[in-house]
Amino acid sequence: MTTYNPMRELPAKAGYKAGDMFVLCGELFGRGYANGIIDEARRAGMTIIGTTVGRRDADGTLRPLNDAELAEAEANLGGKIINVPLEAGFDMEPDGSGTTPLDQLKGVKTDEWESVRLNWEGIEASRQSGIRRFTANMGKVAEELERLIPAGASVLFAHSMAGGIPRARIFMPLLNKVFKGQGERFISSETFWNSELGRLCQLSFDEVTADTFRYLIDATVAIRKRNTAAGARVSYVAYGYHGCEVLVNGRYTWQTYTPYLQGWAKVRLEDVATAAWNEGVRATVFNCPEILTNSSALFLGVEISLYPLLAALEKEGNGKAAEQVRQECQALLKPDAGVRDILEKANDYLASPVLAPFGDYAGWPLHNTPELAELMLGCSEELLGMNANPKEIVCGVLSRAVFSGVGRLMFDAAWAPAAPVFWLNHDVIARRLQAD
């Protein structure tokens, strides 16, 4: 388990400038964590290069983006995209017999999931095939980057790959019960995780979320050696999650969303960064606060820890940024609801005795209980119900504030990184947002 290492002081301003290069490993979809650091790179005048996961045709074939898709992706990124498919994982990768992990799960009914038995030799063959495909394509991306990146340019690589839920129909109804189920619809995350389907998920999460960071670092060794030899800086950053400190009863307290099944892969991601760091590579995982994005919407309740950011902004200076965020949030609430009501409700949840056993950092990640699910999901529903429009919610404002603050902190810290793993908690993010 990584030693807890929260960032307490704002890093000095990064020295990146026009002519330096920013490379995003992971395609940009919608708005999320990566947008914050891209905004900083653009503001500094860096040249922005992106990648794509590619697309799957109807027959399952993985291909590069077509002209229209490429134009849309480059417009979204605001930079050039190297059009080599970097889809991670192995769920659609055939083994020696031509069978994919998804083929093994065809026709499985939701009431049969606990009895599923998989061919693990076939799964391992698919996993190895997926690794070969990904690393070969990453090698092609690296070759293109060598041509695009000048020898004297400083380079910031940002790894944003995460996820890895296998694309079999059986998973979404099951995971909805794991993350959102109550009463008869509740499924224990521990029971799921210890099943064969859970084991497959863990392998996939590890590959997509963590191992791809290692593949990126390994593939770009030539760029790293060439550019550092020329006096430039080459750093790698990645997005982690390992709980977050928020204000609970007026004190910053480490807490976590449960059940976070990708937590084991996020620990593995930290291990990748630490191993690279020990080899002399400037690689850092930044453990970020909870936000609400398209991908995190499956984890209903994860957003409750966002609300105390309003209190942190007040505590850490209460300047113009705090007032602006408060006003934006208040404008989205129903007439009979106020920011104080939200803070009180969120604090009651976070301070609940039901959550006390889940504040065990050494035991993280932990599994859910029916009592936790009932409390968390009920509180989440009440808080979301305070918004006037369910499509324009306070969590959106707070999420944008978080990824803006996170982006600036990561960008500046990457210029002269001090450790392989940092936690970016509400205190330092609130100070960052109000520093300018």
Side-chain angles (χ1 to χ4, degrees), residues 248-394:
V248 182
N249 289 337
R251 294 181 58 191
Y252 286 111
T253 305
W254 184 88
Q255 54 76 54
T256 180
Y257 167 79
T258 301
Y260 190 67
L261 295 183
Q262 287 195 14
W264 286 271
K266 291 296 189 181
V267 171
R268 188 181 179 105
L269 178 66
E270 297 171 5
D271 292 342
V272 168
T274 300
W277 187 271
N278 291 337
E279 296 163 8
V281 181
R282 295 166 175 249
T284 305
V285 168
F286 293 87
N287 288 323
C288 302
E290 302 86 350
I291 64 172
L292 194 64
T293 66
N294 292 338
S295 59
S296 68
L298 174 64
F299 311 107
L300 192 63
V302 69
E303 80 288 347
I304 300 175
S305 301
L306 255 176
Y307 299 110
L309 180 64
L310 286 159
L313 284 164
E314 186 174 329
K315 182 180 179 68
E316 304 298 335
N318 201 25
K320 289 182 179 179
E323 182 58 28
Q324 182 179 345
V325 170
R326 252 194 318 271
Q327 288 180 2
E328 288 184 43
C329 290
Q330 184 62 60
L332 296 176
L333 296 173
K334 291 177 178 177
D336 61 346
V339 166
R340 293 294 166 195
D341 299 319
I342 282 181
L343 285 172
E344 183 178 342
K345 184 67 181 175
N347 187 78
D348 286 348
Y349 165 77
L350 292 166
S352 168
V354 174
L355 261 68
F358 301 94
D360 176 19
Y361 174 82
W364 191 88
L366 298 168
H367 287 291
N368 62 2
T369 64
E371 295 77 17
L372 173 65
E374 183 179 359
L375 178 66
M376 178 177 67
L377 297 169
C379 181
S380 174
E381 185 176 352
E382 285 186 48
L383 282 162
L384 292 172
M386 294 182 182
N387 293 278
N389 180 349
K391 294 184 179 180
E392 294 184 34
I393 60 175
V394 164

Side-chain angles (χ1 to χ4, degrees), residues 16 92 97 110 123 153 188 213 216 245 271 305 317-318 338 360-362 416-417 432:
Y16 296 111
M92 296 182 71
S97 69
T110 53
I123 295 292
S188 160
F213 194 36
L216 166 65
E245 282 184 26
D271 292 342
S305 301
N318 201 25
D360 176 19
Y361 174 82
R432 177 64 272 170

